[in-house]
mmCIF file of all heavy atoms in Angstrom:
data_model
loop_
_atom_site.group_PDB
_atom_site.id
_atom_site.type_symbol
_atom_site.label_atom_id
_atom_site.label_comp_id
_atom_site.label_asym_id
_atom_site.label_seq_id
_atom_site.Cartn_x
_atom_site.Cartn_y
_atom_site.Cartn_z
ATOM 1 N N GLU A 81 -2.544 -29.888 -49.650
ATOM 2 C CA GLU A 81 -3.385 -31.040 -49.671
ATOM 3 C C GLU A 81 -4.813 -30.686 -49.088
ATOM 4 O O GLU A 81 -5.838 -31.269 -49.584
ATOM 5 C CB GLU A 81 -2.665 -32.197 -48.698
ATOM 6 C CG GLU A 81 -3.559 -33.497 -48.654
ATOM 7 C CD GLU A 81 -2.876 -34.456 -47.743
ATOM 8 O OE1 GLU A 81 -1.755 -34.116 -47.250
ATOM 9 O OE2 GLU A 81 -3.380 -35.483 -47.570
ATOM 10 N N ILE A 82 -4.841 -29.852 -48.069
ATOM 11 C CA ILE A 82 -6.083 -29.476 -47.517
ATOM 12 C C ILE A 82 -6.943 -28.654 -48.544
ATOM 13 O O ILE A 82 -8.132 -28.754 -48.668
ATOM 14 C CB ILE A 82 -5.939 -28.697 -46.273
ATOM 15 C CG1 ILE A 82 -5.285 -29.548 -45.191
ATOM 16 C CG2 ILE A 82 -7.167 -28.095 -45.658
ATOM 17 C CD1 ILE A 82 -4.757 -28.813 -43.995
ATOM 18 N N ALA A 83 -6.207 -27.732 -49.281
ATOM 19 C CA ALA A 83 -6.938 -26.899 -50.155
ATOM 20 C C ALA A 83 -7.457 -27.663 -51.343
ATOM 21 O O ALA A 83 -8.506 -27.318 -51.874
ATOM 22 C CB ALA A 83 -6.035 -25.722 -50.674
ATOM 23 N N ALA A 85 -8.301 -30.944 -51.416
ATOM 24 C CA ALA A 85 -9.160 -32.091 -51.122
ATOM 25 C C ALA A 85 -10.573 -31.566 -51.073
ATOM 26 O O ALA A 85 -10.754 -30.538 -50.429
ATOM 27 C CB ALA A 85 -8.748 -32.686 -49.734
ATOM 28 N N ASN A 86 -11.461 -32.333 -51.608
ATOM 29 C CA ASN A 86 -12.819 -31.984 -51.504
ATOM 30 C C ASN A 86 -13.569 -32.562 -50.305
ATOM 31 O O ASN A 86 -14.635 -32.095 -49.943
ATOM 32 C CB ASN A 86 -13.573 -32.446 -52.824
ATOM 33 C CG ASN A 86 -13.074 -31.762 -54.068
ATOM 34 O OD1 ASN A 86 -12.793 -30.530 -54.029
ATOM 35 N ND2 ASN A 86 -13.086 -32.431 -55.166
ATOM 36 N N VAL A 87 -12.997 -33.570 -49.649
ATOM 37 C CA VAL A 87 -13.511 -34.155 -48.500
ATOM 38 C C VAL A 87 -13.162 -33.349 -47.313
ATOM 39 O O VAL A 87 -12.135 -32.657 -47.309
ATOM 40 C CB VAL A 87 -13.092 -35.680 -48.361
ATOM 41 C CG1 VAL A 87 -13.540 -36.523 -49.411
ATOM 42 C CG2 VAL A 87 -11.478 -35.635 -48.235
ATOM 43 N N GLN A 88 -14.052 -33.401 -46.295
ATOM 44 C CA GLN A 88 -13.829 -32.571 -44.978
ATOM 45 C C GLN A 88 -12.959 -33.340 -44.011
ATOM 46 O O GLN A 88 -13.437 -33.924 -43.044
ATOM 47 C CB GLN A 88 -15.097 -32.214 -44.418
ATOM 48 C CG GLN A 88 -16.048 -31.290 -45.266
ATOM 49 C CD GLN A 88 -17.340 -31.066 -44.681
ATOM 50 O OE1 GLN A 88 -17.626 -31.429 -43.633
ATOM 51 N NE2 GLN A 88 -18.172 -30.317 -45.446
ATOM 52 N N ALA A 89 -11.650 -33.522 -44.316
ATOM 53 C CA ALA A 89 -10.789 -34.166 -43.437
ATOM 54 C C ALA A 89 -10.377 -33.423 -42.272
ATOM 55 O O ALA A 89 -10.215 -32.199 -42.316
ATOM 56 C CB ALA A 89 -9.510 -34.630 -44.311
ATOM 57 N N PRO A 90 -10.310 -33.993 -41.036
ATOM 58 C CA PRO A 90 -9.987 -33.296 -39.877
ATOM 59 C C PRO A 90 -8.493 -32.722 -39.981
ATOM 60 O O PRO A 90 -7.700 -33.420 -40.573
ATOM 61 C CB PRO A 90 -10.073 -34.312 -38.733
ATOM 62 C CG PRO A 90 -9.967 -35.565 -39.430
ATOM 63 C CD PRO A 90 -10.509 -35.516 -40.816
ATOM 64 N N VAL A 91 -8.258 -31.614 -39.362
ATOM 65 C CA VAL A 91 -7.015 -30.997 -39.389
ATOM 66 C C VAL A 91 -6.300 -31.101 -38.029
ATOM 67 O O VAL A 91 -7.005 -31.154 -36.977
ATOM 68 C CB VAL A 91 -7.129 -29.501 -39.851
ATOM 69 C CG1 VAL A 91 -7.496 -29.457 -41.227
ATOM 70 C CG2 VAL A 91 -8.037 -28.745 -38.916
ATOM 71 N N VAL A 96 -3.041 -26.268 -38.597
ATOM 72 C CA VAL A 96 -3.774 -24.907 -38.390
ATOM 73 C C VAL A 96 -2.710 -23.946 -38.026
ATOM 74 O O VAL A 96 -2.808 -22.740 -38.522
ATOM 75 C CB VAL A 96 -4.796 -25.091 -37.258
ATOM 76 C CG1 VAL A 96 -5.462 -23.749 -36.943
ATOM 77 C CG2 VAL A 96 -5.835 -26.132 -37.725
ATOM 78 N N LEU A 99 -0.860 -22.807 -41.182
ATOM 79 C CA LEU A 99 -1.694 -21.856 -41.968
ATOM 80 C C LEU A 99 -1.896 -20.476 -41.434
ATOM 81 O O LEU A 99 -1.955 -19.529 -42.059
ATOM 82 C CB LEU A 99 -3.090 -22.570 -42.292
ATOM 83 C CG LEU A 99 -3.088 -23.797 -43.204
ATOM 84 C CD1 LEU A 99 -4.453 -24.448 -43.216
ATOM 85 C CD2 LEU A 99 -2.613 -23.398 -44.502
ATOM 86 N N SER A 107 -8.198 -20.806 -46.364
ATOM 87 C CA SER A 107 -8.165 -21.984 -47.208
ATOM 88 C C SER A 107 -8.828 -23.156 -46.539
ATOM 89 O O SER A 107 -9.133 -24.172 -47.226
ATOM 90 C CB SER A 107 -6.694 -22.371 -47.458
ATOM 91 O OG SER A 107 -5.988 -22.694 -46.305
ATOM 92 N N LEU A 108 -9.011 -23.180 -45.237
ATOM 93 C CA LEU A 108 -9.817 -24.166 -44.514
ATOM 94 C C LEU A 108 -11.293 -24.069 -44.816
ATOM 95 O O LEU A 108 -11.744 -22.968 -44.990
ATOM 96 C CB LEU A 108 -9.468 -24.217 -43.006
ATOM 97 C CG LEU A 108 -8.021 -24.428 -42.593
ATOM 98 C CD1 LEU A 108 -7.944 -24.180 -41.070
ATOM 99 C CD2 LEU A 108 -7.699 -25.878 -42.890
ATOM 100 N N GLN A 109 -11.916 -25.161 -44.681
ATOM 101 C CA GLN A 109 -13.342 -25.189 -44.875
ATOM 102 C C GLN A 109 -13.966 -24.834 -43.484
ATOM 103 O O GLN A 109 -13.420 -25.101 -42.376
ATOM 104 C CB GLN A 109 -13.887 -26.596 -45.315
ATOM 105 C CG GLN A 109 -13.333 -26.851 -46.730
ATOM 106 C CD GLN A 109 -13.905 -28.236 -47.305
ATOM 107 O OE1 GLN A 109 -14.838 -28.701 -46.706
ATOM 108 N NE2 GLN A 109 -13.362 -28.733 -48.282
ATOM 109 N N VAL A 110 -15.285 -24.389 -43.547
ATOM 110 C CA VAL A 110 -15.823 -23.937 -42.230
ATOM 111 C C VAL A 110 -16.130 -25.210 -41.373
ATOM 112 O O VAL A 110 -15.986 -25.073 -40.209
ATOM 113 C CB VAL A 110 -17.252 -23.359 -42.646
ATOM 114 C CG1 VAL A 110 -17.987 -22.913 -41.356
ATOM 115 C CG2 VAL A 110 -17.078 -22.080 -43.422
ATOM 116 N N ALA A 111 -16.474 -26.338 -41.920
ATOM 117 C CA ALA A 111 -16.680 -27.448 -41.125
ATOM 118 C C ALA A 111 -15.386 -27.950 -40.397
ATOM 119 O O ALA A 111 -15.427 -28.379 -39.256
ATOM 120 C CB ALA A 111 -17.239 -28.613 -42.036
ATOM 121 N N GLN A 112 -14.282 -27.840 -41.130
ATOM 122 C CA GLN A 112 -12.977 -28.188 -40.569
ATOM 123 C C GLN A 112 -12.578 -27.312 -39.368
ATOM 124 O O GLN A 112 -12.146 -27.733 -38.366
ATOM 125 C CB GLN A 112 -11.888 -28.112 -41.600
ATOM 126 C CG GLN A 112 -11.978 -29.225 -42.696
ATOM 127 C CD GLN A 112 -10.968 -29.148 -43.791
ATOM 128 O OE1 GLN A 112 -10.591 -27.986 -44.148
ATOM 129 N NE2 GLN A 112 -10.440 -30.225 -44.312
ATOM 130 N N MET A 113 -12.875 -25.942 -39.554
ATOM 131 C CA MET A 113 -12.528 -25.018 -38.456
ATOM 132 C C MET A 113 -13.388 -25.239 -37.285
ATOM 133 O O MET A 113 -12.979 -25.180 -36.119
ATOM 134 C CB MET A 113 -12.685 -23.627 -38.934
ATOM 135 C CG MET A 113 -11.593 -23.239 -39.986
ATOM 136 S SD MET A 113 -11.612 -21.439 -40.452
ATOM 137 C CE MET A 113 -13.070 -21.463 -41.515
ATOM 138 N N ARG A 114 -14.721 -25.514 -37.501
ATOM 139 C CA ARG A 114 -15.618 -25.760 -36.340
ATOM 140 C C ARG A 114 -15.257 -27.082 -35.664
ATOM 141 O O ARG A 114 -15.345 -27.167 -34.453
ATOM 142 C CB ARG A 114 -17.112 -25.839 -36.901
ATOM 143 C CG ARG A 114 -17.603 -24.453 -37.269
ATOM 144 C CD ARG A 114 -19.052 -24.637 -37.771
ATOM 145 N NE ARG A 114 -19.592 -23.282 -38.200
ATOM 146 C CZ ARG A 114 -20.744 -23.097 -38.854
ATOM 147 N NH1 ARG A 114 -21.442 -24.201 -39.310
ATOM 148 N NH2 ARG A 114 -21.142 -21.893 -39.082
ATOM 149 N N ASP A 115 -14.862 -28.068 -36.482
ATOM 150 C CA ASP A 115 -14.485 -29.315 -35.807
ATOM 151 C C ASP A 115 -13.266 -29.105 -34.935
ATOM 152 O O ASP A 115 -13.125 -29.676 -33.787
ATOM 153 C CB ASP A 115 -14.287 -30.446 -36.873
ATOM 154 C CG ASP A 115 -13.804 -31.694 -36.233
ATOM 155 O OD1 ASP A 115 -14.637 -32.381 -35.647
ATOM 156 O OD2 ASP A 115 -12.672 -32.121 -36.448
ATOM 157 N N PHE A 116 -12.308 -28.349 -35.452
ATOM 158 C CA PHE A 116 -11.083 -28.048 -34.630
ATOM 159 C C PHE A 116 -11.388 -27.309 -33.356
ATOM 160 O O PHE A 116 -10.878 -27.647 -32.246
ATOM 161 C CB PHE A 116 -10.044 -27.333 -35.575
ATOM 162 C CG PHE A 116 -8.839 -26.930 -34.779
ATOM 163 C CD1 PHE A 116 -7.852 -27.888 -34.550
ATOM 164 C CD2 PHE A 116 -8.714 -25.633 -34.314
ATOM 165 C CE1 PHE A 116 -6.612 -27.468 -33.924
ATOM 166 C CE2 PHE A 116 -7.538 -25.283 -33.629
ATOM 167 C CZ PHE A 116 -6.531 -26.141 -33.429
ATOM 168 N N LEU A 117 -12.242 -26.243 -33.510
ATOM 169 C CA LEU A 117 -12.581 -25.471 -32.333
ATOM 170 C C LEU A 117 -13.413 -26.219 -31.265
ATOM 171 O O LEU A 117 -13.201 -26.113 -30.075
ATOM 172 C CB LEU A 117 -13.399 -24.177 -32.762
ATOM 173 C CG LEU A 117 -12.560 -23.173 -33.580
ATOM 174 C CD1 LEU A 117 -13.564 -22.060 -34.086
ATOM 175 C CD2 LEU A 117 -11.412 -22.579 -32.796
ATOM 176 N N SER A 118 -14.264 -27.118 -31.760
ATOM 177 C CA SER A 118 -14.973 -27.941 -30.790
ATOM 178 C C SER A 118 -14.055 -28.888 -30.073
ATOM 179 O O SER A 118 -14.322 -29.148 -28.850
ATOM 180 C CB SER A 118 -16.073 -28.782 -31.518
ATOM 181 O OG SER A 118 -15.449 -29.622 -32.470
ATOM 182 N N VAL A 133 -16.011 -17.339 -38.268
ATOM 183 C CA VAL A 133 -15.308 -18.532 -37.657
ATOM 184 C C VAL A 133 -13.821 -18.321 -37.682
ATOM 185 O O VAL A 133 -13.085 -18.800 -36.856
ATOM 186 C CB VAL A 133 -15.853 -19.738 -38.512
ATOM 187 C CG1 VAL A 133 -15.092 -20.999 -37.971
ATOM 188 C CG2 VAL A 133 -17.311 -19.926 -38.364
ATOM 189 N N LEU A 137 -11.151 -18.499 -34.667
ATOM 190 C CA LEU A 137 -10.019 -19.338 -34.678
ATOM 191 C C LEU A 137 -8.737 -18.516 -34.463
ATOM 192 O O LEU A 137 -7.784 -18.984 -33.720
ATOM 193 C CB LEU A 137 -9.908 -20.143 -35.995
ATOM 194 C CG LEU A 137 -8.790 -21.149 -36.139
ATOM 195 C CD1 LEU A 137 -8.810 -22.127 -35.071
ATOM 196 C CD2 LEU A 137 -8.864 -21.752 -37.555
#
Side-chain angles (χ1 to χ4, degrees):
E81 181 181 357
I82 296 169
N86 293 327
V87 295
Q88 299 178 0
V91 291
V96 175
L99 291 175
S107 62
L108 293 173
Q109 298 182 11
V110 177
Q112 291 176 323
M113 290 186 288
R114 287 177 178 170
D115 180 69
F116 176 80
L117 291 174
S118 63
V133 179
L137 182 58

